[in-house]
Amino acid sequence: MRFLKQLFYALGYGLFGSLVVLVVGYVYYLDSRPDLKIWHETLLQGEFAAAQAKDIRDLDAYRALEDRLFEQLQERIISRIEEGEQRQLGRFYNGSRVNPLSFPRNWNRTFELLPQHPVGGVLLLHGLSDSPYSLRALGQCCTGRVFMWWGCACRAMVRRLPGC
């Protein structure tokens, strides 16, 4: 019986010690990560909010709001990126290969796909992970099937989901 008691104490101390080592290691890992960049910390006020719904009554008004948001993005983030952060695969660097502005059409913006003779419409809302470009393939595939498609970016849903 005494042996079992000592075994349980040894296992308990071993588990506790392992937990302490894991916590200390995790804290060290978190502390050693790079500092947040300007695109992580800057909040843009141009994003759609539920309080603006009465003013945004059609797609043109939403696109105007989106234009202001992208102007704010250019002013507060893209124009302030330091030279050392301007990478060929950085989406916030104007000279980047993956910057949406370097393509003929910016699929990160709200888009509209119209067939010649529509019989219905589909509204695709996006905002929980990336951007409307991930909806593009679905819309392009089905546009020929007589439905209009709109892909809208609702980026504010991530932070304001309960208040929508």
Side-chain angles (χ1 to χ4, degrees):
M1 192 65 155
R2 185 169 184 211
F3 173 74
L4 283 175
K5 186 177 179 181
Q6 289 177 341
L7 180 64
F8 282 128
Y9 274 120
L11 286 173
Y13 283 124
L15 287 173
F16 180 73
S18 298
L19 181 65
V20 168
V21 168
L22 284 173
V23 168
V24 168
Y26 188 65
V27 167
Y28 176 76
Y29 164 73
L30 290 177
D31 191 48
S32 66
R33 294 184 314 169
D35 292 335
L36 294 177
K37 305 296 182 194
I38 190 170
W39 54 85
H40 296 122
E41 298 180 320
T42 303
L43 292 176
L44 302 176
Q45 284 75 34
E47 294 188 74
F48 177 77
Q52 296 170 297
K54 64 183 180 321
D55 301 325
I56 311 292
R57 303 307 287 174
D58 58 18
L59 189 59
D60 290 334
Y62 185 82
R63 284 186 174 153
L65 176 71
E66 192 176 61
D67 288 341
R68 290 189 298 273
L69 173 65
F70 276 84
E71 288 170 8
Q72 204 174 59
L73 175 71
Q74 177 69 36
E75 175 188 313
R76 294 187 182 179
I77 296 176
I78 295 173
S79 66
R80 294 182 182 179
I81 293 179
E82 297 173 12
E83 192 170 318
E85 296 298 326
Q86 297 175 353
R87 296 191 172 91
Q88 287 300 313
L89 295 177
R91 66 182 176 150
F92 293 120
Y93 168 48
N94 282 330
S96 169
R97 294 180 186 165
V98 296
N99 184 315
L101 299 175
S102 66
F103 296 100
R105 181 166 182 180
N106 183 350
W107 288 101
N108 279 338
R109 305 286 301 265
T110 296
F111 64 86
E112 184 176 32
L113 301 173
L114 301 171
Q116 284 192 331
H117 304 290
V119 296
V122 177
L123 174 63
L124 302 170
L125 296 176
H126 200 282
L128 295 178
S129 61
D130 46 21
S131 290
Y133 75 85
S134 63
L135 306 173
R136 175 186 66 166
L138 177 64
Q140 286 177 323
C141 172
C142 299
T143 298
R145 296 189 171 90
V146 299
F147 285 99
M148 298 179 290
W149 291 78
W150 298 276
C152 292
C154 295
R155 293 162 187 87
M157 282 184 1
V158 177
R159 288 194 300 271
R160 301 185 187 104
L161 189 59
C164 284

